[in-house]
Amino acid sequence: MALIVQKYGGTSVGNTDRIKNVARRVAEYRNRGDKVVVVVSAMSGVTDGLIKLAKDIVPLPSEREMDMLLATGEQQTIALTAIALHAINVPAVSMTGAQAGIVTDGVHTKAKIHNISPKQVHDALDAGSVVIVAGFQGETKDGQITTLGRGGSDLTAIALAAALKADLCQIYTDVDGVYTADPRLVPGAQKLPEISYDEMLELASLGAKVMQSRSVEFAKKFGVVFEVRSSLNDNPGTIVKEETKSMEGVVVRGVSLDKNQAKVTLVGVPDKPGMAARIFKAIGDATVNVDMIVQNISHGSGSPATDLSFTVDKPDLLKAQKVIEGLKQEIGYKEVLTDEKIGKLSIVGIGMKSHAGVAGKLFETLANESVNIGMISTSEIKISVTIDLAKGEQAIKAVHKAFIG
Ligand code: ASP
Ligand code: MG
């Protein structure tokens, strides 16, 4: 007899037929004698709809009240899922995050889990019930309702699996697992049987948004092995776990193309200490995330100056531009250029740690396609380059073919 945590995302519980389908799947596990804890998201669109209602009233609603409001989305789904299980004669009980013992800090709308005391969950499981827990929510020790940030039901599931020492944690979603590339861009993309936490994190932050990044970090920290799979079929999914020796044999696990980046270039920044600090402090204060940064020192005549380029998420471009323009007097650079027509292409794999020549092969592949490389950044397990957006799809296909097949 195993203890299983299953999480079903918004599309998997998107209407009552889907909820009945979830109930059937849960019943299969429960009827073969397993203890099952189910974590559900709000039905797809519900959280966005609630946010819209609040923002129709005022652009910046109170964060405490937003948590009160958003937590209702998941509460609808837990009750409906319990009702669907009752309808097929499976004992089931729904619980809010608080009832499941999920205690968080008091940072409304992006609370962190402090600890979990799942006494009620254990009691209900021991009594033979399936337990359905509302994802994405918790409670402070003073009894205030909190939420864990968008996509936070994943975190609820992983954290509960850790607290309950579950034998199995399954994340059901609307894709079959994690692929070597987005199958819509690369027809030959393959489903990965397994992937390491670090690779999953890089691919998620690169736009392959299968799961909330925080939940993968949490799983890594607590060693929670989990499977990402589809609730709409019975295909085996992708196992996410700590890297193993055999995983290192594969140099590149996945390739991604992020079309959502923009480049900002400051031309003629005086080459003296404190300039980069001033610029990126101001950008950070405006809560704009910077990804790649490149600096070129010019060795021409006159006082030394540098060109400084960096990338931001496209929706943040205007904000970044405003901040930079506000610094013109103080810094005394020549001009600002922006480019929205870039794509960020990345290859990810823990095998890169132990293989040489990966960058050369990537650059050669791009050269053969006449794709020009803009900025370059690397980590131990990733190489990213910016390229012309118009050539993005051609480039990712060629790079996938060169490294993966
Ligand atoms: N319902 C929440 C959201 O849409 C949490 C989740 O789906 O995981 O962000
Ligand atoms: Mg979701």
Side-chain angles (χ1 to χ4, degrees), residues 7-11 39-48 50-51 70 73-74 77 135-137 147-156 212:
K7 181 256 171 178
Y8 293 92
T11 38
V39 174
V40 288
S41 292
M43 296 165 78
S44 58
V46 166
T47 306
D48 286 335
L50 292 170
I51 292 174
L70 297 191
E74 270 70 13
T77 333
F136 175 56
Q137 56 173 263
T147 63
L148 308 175
R150 295 306 305 270
S153 299
D154 290 333
L155 183 58
T156 304
Q212 189 207 36

Side-chain angles (χ1 to χ4, degrees), residues 54 58-70 108-109:
V58 54
L60 273 181
S62 144
E63 295 190 324
R64 180 189 182 279
E65 301 310 328
M66 284 312 284
D67 279 353
M68 193 64 90
L69 180 66
L70 297 191
H108 284 292
T109 76

